[in-house]
Amino acid sequence: GAVVSQHPSRVICKSGTSVKIECRSLDFQATTMFWYRQFPKQSLMLMATSNEGSKATYEQGVEKDKFLINHASLTLSTLTVTSAHPEDSSFYICSARVAGLAGGPFPGEQFFGPGTRLTVL
Amino acid sequence: GNSVTQMEGPVTLSEEAFLTINCTYTATGYPSLFWYVQYPGEGLQLLLKATKADDKGSNKGFEATYRKETTSFHLEKGSVQVSDSAVYFCAREEVGGAQKLVFGQGTRLTINP
């Protein structure tokens, strides 16, 4: 099956620093990647949609200058949390959608990474 | 608004018990509906989906039927196993969007032997 990895799986940083999270599709090409944020015992909230080679589309209320997204290739998207503060502490999850209508039993399916736990001190 | 509401957890059952996790949605139109499962330490995996009214999605013994009359997509399994212990998320596709998903809050299921 299609595999999506995220790195790092866990990061602790000081307030004011920037943190980069990578999302990779390991065995397929993904024209579209999605970034989600999940608070404890809450649902996944979509932050932005990232298409390869173009600017990301951010959801309402998400600061694009705060959460920088780069989707430079069909297998890699990065999320950079700039000048992180404690309120940015959360679980960040990416997903990748298979190009075209491929995707095994569920065409167009999103495949999810295991998530990155960010703690800002 | 457009949202997904699912049964609050945690849910604890004994092995071989019958499982139901309720899910209702609000949306304009008829979005595709999904159930995702997240096993400990892993990413979300698509469990099943239904794309139109009265469709029944099924996989690994789980089933869910798209009911437009009750705007529901309840997840069921006749006989659960310890290996089914996970967090289950109901989701709907945003109508007209680039296959964006709106998720419920998740239901943690624990199956005891």
Side-chain angles (χ1 to χ4, degrees), chain A residues 43 46 59 97 106 109-110, chain B residues 43-44 46 99-100 103-104:
Chain A
S43 181
L46 180 65
E59 295 300 299
R97 189 165 67 88
F106 298 115
E109 177 181 349
Q110 289 186 34
Chain B
L44 274 74
L46 182 59
Q99 295 194 323
K100 294 192 291 187
F103 287 88

Side-chain angles (χ1 to χ4, degrees), chain A residues 32 34 36 38 41-44 46 49 59 91 93 97 106-115, chain B residues 36 38 41-49 58-59 89 94 98-106:
Chain A
T32 304
F34 302 87
Y36 297 85
Q38 185 180 27
K41 298 185 179 180
Q42 293 188 29
S43 181
L44 282 74
L46 180 65
T49 303
E59 295 300 299
F91 196 55
I93 301 171
R97 189 165 67 88
F106 298 115
E109 177 181 349
Q110 289 186 34
F111 296 93
F112 285 79
Chain B
Y36 282 84
Q38 185 176 30
E42 299 183 18
L44 274 74
Q45 303 173 26
L46 182 59
L47 180 60
L48 53 85
K49 71 181 282 188
S58 60
N59 187 25
F89 292 90
E94 196 168 277
Q99 295 194 323
K100 294 192 291 187
L101 295 172
V102 177
F103 287 88
Q105 71 270 35

Side-chain angles (χ1 to χ4, degrees), chain B residues 31-82:
Chain B
S32 292
L33 303 173
F34 307 81
W35 275 100
Y36 282 84
V37 57
Q38 185 176 30
Y39 298 106
E42 299 183 18
L44 274 74
Q45 303 173 26
L46 182 59
L47 180 60
L48 53 85
K49 71 181 282 188
T51 58
K52 60 183 186 297
D54 299 325
D55 259 5
K56 177 185 283 187
S58 60
N59 187 25
K60 298 182 180 179
F62 290 89
E63 293 183 341
T65 301
Y66 191 141
R67 304 277 188 204
K68 68 175 183 179
E69 309 83 18
T70 54
T71 60
S72 65
F73 193 54
H74 305 322
L75 181 68
E76 296 182 336
K77 186 173 185 179
S79 177
V80 292
Q81 306 300 314
V82 172

